[in-house]
Amino acid sequence: QVQLVESGGGLVQAGGSLRVSCLASGRTFSSNTMGWFRQAPGKEREFVAAIDWSGTSRNYADSVKGRFTISRDNAKNTMYLQMNSLKPEDTAVYYCAATAIPYHFGTGYSTGMYNYWGQGTQVTVSS
């Protein structure tokens, strides 16, 4: 059974940092694009960042560019999102996702290109 499990969420003050992780099990995603999305209460799920299978190509939402860094360790089947200079508007449930089609990146923006999703981890930024 394929699973993506996020961890590392929590409560942090504005301006602080947090790193969330996504551990994949049941199969390897070393040839697949992975991404982070988030969903705040009453809002639609939105793209945060995406990374291709090698880590060479990365895309970020404009709202997090320069503050967040996506990375992956294929040997550990794990993806990370380092979040710095956090703002209250970053408060959301953060979800990791992975594609089923290998070697496909595009832009990584669309939820429709991802086949596997984690259950989410809550990130709360207090002002």
Side-chain angles (χ1 to χ4, degrees):
Q1 181 182 359
V2 177
Q3 278 192 312
L4 299 178
V5 180
E6 302 94 337
S7 62
L11 174 64
V12 64
Q13 287 189 331
S17 298
L18 208 58
R19 188 178 80 160
V20 290
S21 302
C22 172
L23 174 64
S25 62
R27 60 162 283 180
T28 177
F29 288 100
S30 59
S31 302
N32 302 81
T33 291
M34 298 185 74
W36 287 99
F37 290 76
R38 67 187 182 186
Q39 188 167 17
K43 295 188 177 181
E44 292 188 354
R45 191 169 298 190
E46 64 174 3
F47 169 78
V48 175
I51 187 167
D52 76 350
W53 50 93
S54 67
T56 302
S57 295
R58 311 179 195 200
N59 276 340
Y60 297 92
D62 288 342
S63 59
V64 307
K65 207 170 288 185
R67 299 188 298 122
F68 290 11
T69 301
I70 189 171
S71 62
R72 65 191 296 166
D73 184 339
N74 287 337
K76 296 181 179 179
N77 227 15
T78 302
M79 177 179 63
Y80 306 97
L81 185 68
Q82 177 67 42
M83 302 181 289
N84 299 329
S85 302
L86 281 160
K87 305 175 181 180
E89 51 263 44
D90 294 318
T91 295
V93 177
Y94 283 71
Y95 298 91
C96 69
T99 63
I101 299 175
Y103 306 116
H104 172 63
F105 183 66
T107 61
Y109 295 162
S110 171
T111 56
M113 69 180 283
Y114 295 94
N115 305 93
Y116 303 100
W117 291 85
Q119 83 291 345
T121 186
Q122 176 70 47
V123 172
T124 303
V125 184
S126 63
S127 57

